[in-house]
Every structure is written in structure tokens, then in C-alpha cells.
Amino acid sequence: MKKPERIFARDAEWDHLVRFASRTKDRPQLAVISGRRRQGKTFLVQGLAEEAAGLYFGATEATEAESLALFATAVGTHLDLSSPPRFDSWDDAVRFLFSIDPARGPFVIDEFPYLSKVSPALPSILQRELDQAASGGRRTSVLLCGSAMSVMGGLLSGNAPLRGRASLELVVRPFDYRLAAEFWDLADPKLAVLVHAVAGGTPAYRRFVDDDIPASAGDFDDWILRTVLSPVNPLFREARYLLEEEMDVRDSALYHSVLAAVAAGNSTRGGIANYVGRKATDIGHQLTVLEDSGLLRRREDVFRARRSTYHVAEPLVVFYHVVMRPQWGLLESGRAENVWEAARARFSSQVVGPHFEQLCRDFALAAPPELFGELPGQIGAGVVPDHSRRSQIEVDVVVLAPAVPGQRRKLLSLGEVKWGEVMGRRHVERLERARLLLSRSYDTSETKLACYSGAGFESGLDPEVLTIGLDRLYKSLA
């Protein structure tokens, strides 16, 4: 099946879906496709239904009766019936679905959480029909798709009715930073970082700005003013909508405060709780929901067991809380230039700086094995205590080899990241000190030191030190 031309990239995802739809074994199969909104999931599953001549039904927020009527219409159209069937319940509808010749499938139900929210028994009904189809040797293929990450993740977890029934569980993620630059037609690596720090890898955001692409790094400020900071642009309120669309969010004000706390640099549970004026034990549920929804990520300190920090996973949400939310009234009144002028320094330190660090970790994860000597087993960040100097050394990019039982773990690389600072000998000295301190617990005999910079490097650095600049970070663009 040929991937529709309207779908950019997503080759791996398309191949998984085609293999799912092409299986011919005499048993039913279930696929669960999830991912945050605006990632192109509907393009993928609609394209699959078209290419495979299957059924596509896109659910909406509606009562059970209306959803059943809409589903019946979709089924009638798919089967070329003179009039649609009548379903009094989802029990009737799913029974009918599984009675259709499997050759007329796959059967795609998009935005499934809208249906299960109003009809909680629906997953159990699907489980029953899948089990009965398995006993009867029927090849019915059902694909459930949805954007509410916490709901979709729960379909196959714990004691959920559909646990163990899926043969495909696919998460459609944002484009990585290189692919995002290609999608936005950005050949300048510096500009690519700046745009990615705002729009991330969400493909729909290019459509939100009506294909308005900054012409150069010098045009970036004007691009910000005419897109994300413009009240008439769809991107202006998008960060707010991302949270409101999560079904498990009840008190959105508290969730926004938690995200604001993390975006401001309060990365520990205690720091977040102090920022929002709650006890640390009182925000556990909010942190879990934000993690499940893909808006927060928890990062373990690679050097200190059971110590983790929280970070906002969606760039646009960081931008909103650092730049927009503190001056929302002024932005709505059309004073974007004043707000942006006052926020530029915060944007560089609180948005681009941390974002560039994550891009460098992503680079290390995707780097060829020869860069660090062997294939990494873990990429992360960590803090090295320096007790003799009563200080700590933060290491931005840590590359560890896979753990081998009975042996000290090999430390492949230690890296420091600076977005707007030329890196030189003093940065290397910090890394050398960290390597010395870590040599007590790790095998540092082949540890490579690395400097990652968005502003360049001083001359005369030891050639053994890896220097990763913007051109190397975006090697495919250089």
C-alpha cells in the first residue's frame, strides 16, 4: 500500500500500519494508535483506511445516541447500504461490526476516548467480541486511535479489558529536531533551533501559521510577533488548549501552575510544590497526569539513584509559560512588541538554553557508535558532588555504556552544553574534574569529553575533546 503524498515522512509508522492491515492469519487483531494532538495520526489512519478499502469512523464529542447514529451512517456508507443500520447500544454496534466480512476491513475508530468517556463499557464489549472472534477464527482487524494520552495508555495497562489483546501499539511522536527542520524548510541550523524551541516537532503548527516561515535568524523576532504572539493566530492559544483537551484534567488552574513552576526552573517535586503553594504530597496526581499526557517528562539523575527532576516536554508550553502567560493581558491588547522586548532575555535563558541541552542529548542518542567508542546504553544528565570544594558539577550530556554485571559501568562521554557562550578551556576543566571524581565509581579510562555550543569554540582546544557545534548537530542540513 502506497503512503499518501499528503503525509510527510512517517515512513516507519506507515510500514507498521501496512503490516497490521496486511496480515492474513485466521484470528482477530487489535491496534492502538496514540499520540498528542496535531501529530498527524488522523492522516495516517485515514490514509490506511483509504488504501486498504477499510472503514474509517472519526468520533466527536457527542452523546451515546448521537455517536451510535453517526457510526451507523459510516458503516452504511462503507457497506454501500441503501439505508444505515440502526444501533440501540454499542453492544449492537460492535456485534454488527464483527459480523462484517473481515475482507472489508480494517475498521478504524478515530478519537476513541470521546466514545469511551460517554460509554465506559465499550472497551469490555470490544474485548468480548475479540475473544469470540478468536474462538471462531475470524480475521477482523480493529484499529483504535486517540489523542488523550492518559486514556489511550490505560486501554492496555493493568487490569484493563483490552490488556493482552493488541498486536500493535503505536505512539505517533513529534518529529525529531532534524526532521522538523526539513519539514519547515529551514537550512540555517541556528534558525532551526530557535523555531524548534517554540514549535517543537508538531507538524500541524506549520499549518497554524499558514506556512509563514522565518526567512533568516534576523527575521525570527518579526516571525514571533506575527505568529505565536499575535492574538489572531491559532498558535496564540494553542498551549492552553493542549491542557484543556486532556480528559483527566479537572482543576486546570493548578495544572497550569505546575507547568509554570517547571518552566521557571523548579524541577524537583518540592520546588514545584513550593511554587504552587501546596504540599509535595498534594501534587502527585497532577504530576502523574501531566506525565501520562506527554506534557511533562521525568528525568532520572544518572549518577544519583532515585533522584529525578521534571521538565516540560512540549516546547510551545514552555514558551507560553515563560513568555506569554505572565503578560497575557498585554498580548491580548496587541502590545506584543513590548512583551517580546522584555522577554527576550528570559526566552534565551529559560526556553532556548534548556531546549538546546535536550537537543544535544537527542544528538548523542542518535550518534553513530564510533563517536563515543561504542553504542550507548543510556543518555542523560547528572550532578557530580565535589565535596572537597563544597560544590556540584552539573553534567548536561552523560553517555553510559550498557551495564555489565560484575563490572564497573563504563562512562563513554561527559558533555557540557552552552547555547549563547563560546566554549573553551574552562569548560573542559570542569569536565575533567567531573571525570576524576567519577573515576571512583565508573570506568573512565576511555571517557571522551564533549563541548556542545551554539556560539562556537575557542581556538587551541585539545583535539581529543569533541566539539559539537550547530553544523554538526544538523549535519544532514550542513
Side-chain angles (χ1 to χ4, degrees), residues 35-39 41 61 111 113-114 117 146-152 202 204-205 208 234 237-250 252 255-256 259 289-290 293 295 314 316-317:
R36 294 207 316 273
R37 293 189 187 280
R38 329 289 190 241
Q39 305 308 322
K41 300 182 302 301
E61 288 189 276
E111 293 302 349
Y114 287 146
K117 179 182 179 181
S147 302
M149 296 290 286
S150 55
V151 176
M152 297 303 293
T202 298
Y205 292 164
F208 278 26
R237 293 176 176 83
E238 173 67 7
R240 288 186 166 195
Y241 294 157
L242 286 175
L243 184 60
E244 305 299 336
E245 289 167 345
E246 278 299 321
M247 295 183 177
D248 286 346
V249 171
R250 298 293 182 265
S252 61
Y255 284 87
H256 275 298
L259 289 171
V289 170
L290 289 170
S293 65
L295 294 176
E314 171 54 51
L316 185 63
V317 173

Side-chain angles (χ1 to χ4, degrees), residues 153-346:
L155 286 177
L156 305 177
S157 64
N159 297 318
L162 293 175
R163 178 172 170 78
R165 269 75 179 181
S167 58
L168 174 65
E169 184 178 4
L170 178 65
V171 179
V172 180
R173 304 185 186 281
F175 292 148
D176 67 48
Y177 70 93
R178 285 194 182 105
L179 198 56
E182 183 181 342
F183 180 72
W184 281 82
D185 295 322
L186 298 172
D188 178 355
K190 180 179 180 180
L191 181 59
V193 172
L194 292 172
V195 172
H196 198 271
V198 177
T202 298
Y205 292 164
R206 175 168 171 171
R207 173 169 48 84
F208 278 26
V209 300
D210 196 25
D211 288 330
D212 183 347
I213 299 170
S216 65
D219 183 42
F220 178 75
D221 286 356
D222 287 339
W223 178 79
I224 286 287
L225 295 175
R226 63 181 184 256
T227 56
V228 66
L229 294 187
S230 171
V232 301
N233 191 283
L235 211 55
F236 182 74
R237 293 176 176 83
E238 173 67 7
R240 288 186 166 195
Y241 294 157
L242 286 175
L243 184 60
E244 305 299 336
E245 289 167 345
E246 278 299 321
M247 295 183 177
D248 286 346
V249 171
R250 298 293 182 265
D251 179 6
S252 61
L254 178 56
Y255 284 87
H256 275 298
S257 292
V258 169
L259 289 171
V262 179
N266 301 283
S267 57
T268 65
R269 181 178 288 222
I272 298 168
N274 184 62
Y275 183 96
V276 302
R278 299 289 180 95
K279 295 180 181 178
T281 53
D282 293 341
I283 61 170
H285 175 71
Q286 286 74 24
L287 291 173
T288 299
V289 170
L290 289 170
E291 272 193 90
D292 290 344
S293 65
L295 294 176
L296 271 190
R297 73 163 65 93
R298 181 167 50 178
R299 189 171 69 215
E300 301 289 336
D301 187 317
V302 297
F303 299 132
R304 300 184 294 180
R306 296 182 298 278
R307 295 195 183 188
S308 58
T309 53
Y310 290 92
H311 305 269
V312 180
E314 171 54 51
L316 185 63
V317 173
V318 181
F319 183 86
Y320 166 74
H321 282 286
V322 172
V323 175
M324 302 175 69
R325 189 165 176 253
Q327 299 290 356
W328 187 255
L330 291 179
L331 289 172
E332 285 192 311
S333 66
R335 298 180 61 186
E337 289 189 31
N338 302 103
V339 172
W340 181 238
E341 183 66 31
R344 273 204 192 111
R346 294 200 311 277

Side-chain angles (χ1 to χ4, degrees), residues 60-67 90 112-122 247:
T60 58
E61 288 189 276
T63 64
E64 181 174 274
E66 185 184 8
S67 293
W90 278 109
F112 182 76
Y114 287 146
L115 304 180
S116 61
K117 179 182 179 181
V118 179
S119 309
L122 186 51
M247 295 183 177

Side-chain angles (χ1 to χ4, degrees), residues 355-394:
H355 187 76
F356 185 58
E357 289 181 15
Q358 184 58 47
L359 294 190
C360 292
R361 285 186 284 270
D362 294 342
F363 167 86
L365 183 63
E370 55 267 22
L371 182 65
F372 301 118
E374 61 180 275
L375 190 66
Q378 182 181 359
I379 306 288
V383 176
V384 182
D386 190 346
H387 299 296
S388 64
R389 297 182 180 180
R390 297 182 180 180
S391 63
Q392 295 181 332
I393 302 174
E394 295 184 12

